[in-house]
Amino acid sequence: MPANTITAFEPRKTPVQERAATTVQAIFEATIQVLFTHGADRLTTTRVADRAGVSVGTLYQYFPHKQALLYAVFEKHLDEVSERVEAACQQARGKPAAAMIKQVVEAYVDAKIERADASVALYRVAAGVGGAEVVRKTILRSGKAIGAMLGTAPDLESPPDKFAVEIMLAAISGGMQTVLRAGGSPAQLRKLKEHLVLLCQSYMATVTMSRR
Amino acid sequence: MPANTITAFEPRKTPVQERAATTVQAIFEATIQVLFTHGADRLTTTRVADRAGVSVGTLYQYFPHKQALLYAVFEKHLDEVSERVEAACQQARGKPAAAMIKQVVEAYVDAKIERADASVALYRVAAGVGGAEVVRKTILRSGKAIGAMLGTAPDLESPPDKFAVEIMLAAISGGMQTVLRAGGSPAQLRKLKEHLVLLCQSYMATVTMSRR
DNA sequence: ACCTGAACACCGTTCAAGT
DNA sequence: ACCTGAACACCGTTCAAGT
């Protein structure tokens, strides 16, 4: 399966001078702007470079190929969501498990909704670009924070196993993605949030109950 | 958002003579084969045509553009999964709700696992190609069958509302996708199946309980 | 009604030359 | 250390010509 063997998505070199750092930042922003104004299949390396005010050659000095660029932008987006989740995990320490889940899931959903446009656009391009790897990394990262948080719940004898937490995260991130792409109304998104909380709470309750 | 305005993915014309039907079928199969042997970003319209034993011009007679071709192949894959789900819904009529959910979710997971390779490959290309629309259509279709089935459960006063069923489907399809792309082992996939059943059962139990 | 394949426009990527 | 942009290979799509 040659399409699965994707490994080299790291930036080609790291900026050491200040103008280079500026350049990379400009390329990042230009990518998102081109994505919005021209759409995914008119996102051209030349267009991104133009918009960033540099030449294509410069772009290729920092990103080995177009995929690496998109990968990096996608990664940045998911990192921002992860930070919000981790902050919620910190705040919810010591609360009852159901309240924990509520707070974390709501933080996740809110973060996604705030950046709904970017999220939809990025998922569209990320799939063909090694995005699955980023999603996996993000789930592991958030899963760790959630596991640690659940360890402080007074009403839980032992936290659920890692796998259950990861499935839960895969489920809500998948569900979220599907609904966002369908372009839900604000009312639908509110109901979605409420139901994702229910889904996670009931699943966690079941999983922690059936442990011995 | 120009990237969201995707509408014309229908085949350009329908084959009326027999050799034309053969041609279209050959193009379909060639697409999947090229996807496997060359990977997503080496999938070329010329390569597909070559493999199918026709010229590019012929391919473009039936599919207005590359995206439409990939869209059609993706749609076919999801339709096959839907059929399996609907068959399970038929079989499970009259059973208790928990048994229904188990049977349907297992049918879904099994169908996905059997075609794991194709599923992963197709999701990768489908995202940039209007695949969200197909996913939505599939969820609505399966949701309808599941709703009807739940209406025959003796232990349920009233079936859960449509939205809850759709969220459940979005969650398991998203979760499934994420795990498949991460390339789970057979043991992991077995555990995944078991947990997706638990997740759906507990969510459905919660949602039907809190109705009035 | 269906098929062919050369031709065109455009895009990803490189690299010799510049500051 | 960083930037430029013309040049090259390749891909999506078309269309005049064929059966």
Side-chain angles (χ1 to χ4, degrees), chain A residues 24-156:
Chain A
V24 170
Q25 184 56 31
I27 291 173
F28 259 79
E29 282 161 17
T31 304
I32 295 196
Q33 283 176 20
V34 171
L35 205 51
F36 282 137
T37 55
H38 294 265
D41 34 60
R42 277 183 179 147
L43 185 131
T44 291
T45 48
T46 313
R47 235 188 282 267
V48 170
D50 276 359
R51 177 102 203 191
V54 298
S55 82
V56 230
T58 300
L59 188 154
Y60 277 92
Q61 220 170 354
Y62 297 100
F63 302 95
H65 39 249
K66 190 185 169 185
Q67 296 197 341
L69 171 63
L70 295 172
Y71 184 96
V73 176
F74 185 58
E75 197 173 27
K76 201 174 172 229
H77 169 69
L78 288 197
D79 277 348
E80 284 166 11
V81 175
S82 289
E83 275 159 30
R84 295 276 291 267
V85 167
E86 285 176 355
C89 286
Q90 277 300 328
Q91 274 188 20
R93 282 178 166 265
K95 292 188 183 178
M100 282 178 167
I101 304 279
K102 183 173 199 291
Q103 188 156 355
V104 170
V105 172
E106 288 187 342
Y108 172 81
V109 174
D110 286 340
K112 277 291 185 190
I113 287 179
E114 276 170 34
R115 301 197 179 278
D117 295 353
S119 187
V120 171
L122 286 173
Y123 266 100
R124 185 169 320 201
V125 298
V129 123
E133 192 188 306
V134 190
V135 172
R136 213 184 89 254
K137 263 171 42 189
T138 305
I139 286 181
L140 292 179
R141 177 178 163 183
S142 297
K144 218 172 155 184
I146 292 174
M149 172 188 72
L150 288 171
T152 72
D155 57 341
L156 239 51

Side-chain angles (χ1 to χ4, degrees), chain A residues 172-211:
Chain A
I172 62 172
S173 95
M176 191 76 216
Q177 211 190 120
T178 303
V179 175
L180 278 187
R181 280 203 289 209
S185 66
Q188 282 178 311
L189 292 176
R190 241 175 295 125
K191 198 169 176 188
L192 171 68
K193 176 153 80 169
E194 183 195 324
H195 273 252
L196 286 181
V197 170
L198 281 178
L199 182 133
C200 293
Q201 284 176 335
S202 52
Y203 176 53
M204 280 297 115
T206 304
V207 166
T208 49
M209 232 166 42
S210 66
R211 281 178 67 84

Side-chain angles (χ1 to χ4, degrees), chain B residues 16-17 23 55 57-58 62:
Chain B
V16 320
Q17 286 183 10
T23 299
S55 81
T58 300
Y62 297 101

Side-chain angles (χ1 to χ4, degrees), chain B residues 15-130:
Chain B
V16 320
Q17 286 183 10
E18 200 180 334
R19 65 171 164 162
T22 313
T23 299
V24 170
Q25 184 55 31
I27 292 172
F28 258 79
E29 281 160 17
T31 304
I32 294 196
Q33 284 176 18
V34 172
L35 205 51
F36 281 136
T37 55
H38 295 263
D41 34 59
R42 276 183 180 147
L43 184 131
T44 291
T45 48
T46 313
R47 235 188 283 267
V48 170
D50 277 357
R51 179 100 202 192
V54 296
S55 81
V56 231
T58 300
L59 188 154
Y60 277 93
Q61 221 172 351
Y62 297 101
F63 303 96
H65 39 250
K66 191 185 169 184
Q67 295 199 341
L69 171 64
L70 295 172
Y71 183 96
V73 177
F74 184 59
E75 196 173 26
K76 200 174 171 228
H77 169 69
L78 288 198
D79 277 348
E80 284 165 12
V81 176
S82 289
E83 275 160 30
R84 295 276 290 268
V85 167
E86 286 176 355
C89 285
Q90 277 300 327
Q91 275 188 20
R93 283 179 165 265
K95 293 188 183 178
M100 282 179 169
I101 304 277
K102 184 172 198 291
Q103 187 155 356
V104 170
V105 172
E106 287 187 342
Y108 172 83
V109 173
D110 287 340
K112 275 292 186 189
I113 287 178
E114 277 171 33
R115 301 198 180 279
D117 294 353
S119 188
V120 171
L122 287 173
Y123 266 101
R124 185 168 321 200
V125 298
V129 123

